[in-house]
Amino acid sequence: MDNTDEAVSEPISAHLADDLMSTTPAGWHSFYDQLSRRFAAVGLAKVSHFLNYGYAAMDSRNDSTAVIREGTFNANSVRLVFELIGSLDLNGCAVVDIGCGRGGTAALVAENFAAQVTGVDRSSEAIAFCRATHLNPSLRFEVGDALNLPLDNESCDVVMNVESSHSYSNLGKFLGEVRRISRPGAWFLHTDLLGSYEWDQVRTRLRTLDFSIESERDITANVIASRNQAVGDWDRIYGDTGPRVANFLALPGSVVYEQLRAGILEYKIMRSRLRPAAE
């Protein structure tokens, strides 16, 4: 059986827990490898560069003024990345995107800034896709674990993490790795859906690691609005109509969607900066 046959025959949700947030790191790894094969099987591999829930602008209170080209596939997902960056100038920076998935965030940064960008992800199939698809010479992609990054100490000016940290088994260890690879004055740009307790853990750990939280913004309403705009042919794309995939996509009516609506899960953008050496 080749990879395409496997992608079609096995339910894509097989490796996800009923409670999405309880899925093990190994389960996420297997799921994302299978997802890469699924996108190839349905002919969407060339355009499916983003997997995040997206950001829908609801008023004028947005952090980014970036204009997204009309007809952009997954425009709300692109907008989320621009909102995370906000007004920061990433020109001349060494940027790493941890949990880069299919490379959309890393490629977007390389396209819009004169930066050297590295994407890191546990999924070897996702990294193979990135290397074959995103050919900007300012980009490179590496297989690696967020808890044991294949990067040198103090090698990055900007660390990005988009909707990935909720799948890690140890948030504290991950943040320690962010600290290890960050140069003095580096930015950590983090956006994800976590419970209030986990966000408290993130704040406390960052402060002990000499990061200053420069801004924190709850964008749950914008993410819910994006999910309300989600396309209706998800069953064809993902090949699975079960509740686990609905949870993964945070589709209206799913458990994750309702947890976001109820405030059990909070989707935030947090920008932190490592104390500069002179301070």
Side-chain angles (χ1 to χ4, degrees), residues 229-237 251:
Q229 298 172 14
V231 294
D233 60 348
W234 61 275
D235 53 337
R236 179 187 67 82
I237 295 171
L251 295 173

Side-chain angles (χ1 to χ4, degrees), residues 7 12 28-52 73-74 77-78 81 97-109 117-136 139-142 162-164 237-238 248-249:
I12 199 166
W28 281 115
H29 187 185
S30 298
F31 172 77
Y32 281 118
D33 276 348
Q34 189 181 1
L35 187 58
S36 289
R37 297 193 290 271
R38 178 64 195 178
F39 283 145
V42 299
L44 287 177
K46 291 184 178 180
V47 294
S48 56
H49 300 164
F50 294 89
L51 295 174
N52 71 61
F73 191 74
N74 283 348
S77 293
V78 174
V81 177
D97 178 29
I98 302 171
C100 68
R102 297 175 67 77
T105 296
L108 191 68
V109 172
V117 187
T118 301
V120 178
D121 199 276
R122 284 190 64 182
S123 170
S124 57
E125 295 198 29
I127 292 300
F129 169 82
C130 290
R131 288 172 174 169
T133 303
H134 304 298
L135 304 180
N136 188 316
L139 283 169
R140 70 183 179 100
F141 294 95
E142 302 290 343
V162 178
E163 203 175 296
S164 180
I237 295 171
Y238 286 81
F248 171 71
L249 297 169

Side-chain angles (χ1 to χ4, degrees), residues 53 74 76 223-234 249-252 257:
Y53 290 164
N74 283 348
N76 284 349
V223 173
I224 289 172
S226 173
R227 293 295 80 202
N228 288 338
Q229 298 172 14
V231 294
D233 60 348
W234 61 275
L249 297 169
L251 295 173
Y257 179 92

Side-chain angles (χ1 to χ4, degrees), residues 146 154 159 170-188 190 200-213 272-277 279:
E154 298 190 4
V159 180
N170 190 325
L171 269 175
K173 188 172 183 182
F174 161 61
L175 295 174
E177 280 292 274
V178 172
R179 172 65 176 86
R180 180 183 65 79
I181 66 173
S182 293
R183 293 171 179 156
W187 285 91
F188 175 41
H190 184 199
D200 284 342
Q201 284 184 308
V202 170
R203 293 184 198 95
T204 300
R205 181 63 169 151
L206 285 174
R207 289 177 180 127
T208 64
L209 293 170
D210 286 334
F211 280 91
S212 171
I213 298 172
S272 307
R273 195 179 188 197
L274 184 61
R275 183 176 301 167
E279 292 186 10

Side-chain angles (χ1 to χ4, degrees), residues 51-55 80 161-164 166 190-195 199 217-224 260 263-270:
L51 295 174
N52 71 61
Y53 290 164
Y55 175 103
L80 177 65
N161 188 247
V162 178
E163 203 175 296
S164 180
H166 66 267
H190 184 199
T191 187
D192 204 354
L193 67 161
L194 298 169
W199 279 119
R217 180 181 171 210
D218 191 317
I219 61 166
T220 304
N222 303 88
V223 173
I224 289 172
L260 285 166
I264 297 169
L265 293 175
E266 302 169 349
Y267 207 119
K268 292 180 177 287
I269 286 175
M270 187 177 289

Side-chain angles (χ1 to χ4, degrees), residues 55-64 79 83 217 219 222:
Y55 175 103
M58 300 169 63
D59 50 39
S60 60
R61 292 175 293 180
N62 307 299
D63 289 343
S64 174
R79 182 59 182 269
E83 287 296 313
R217 180 181 171 210
I219 61 166
N222 303 88

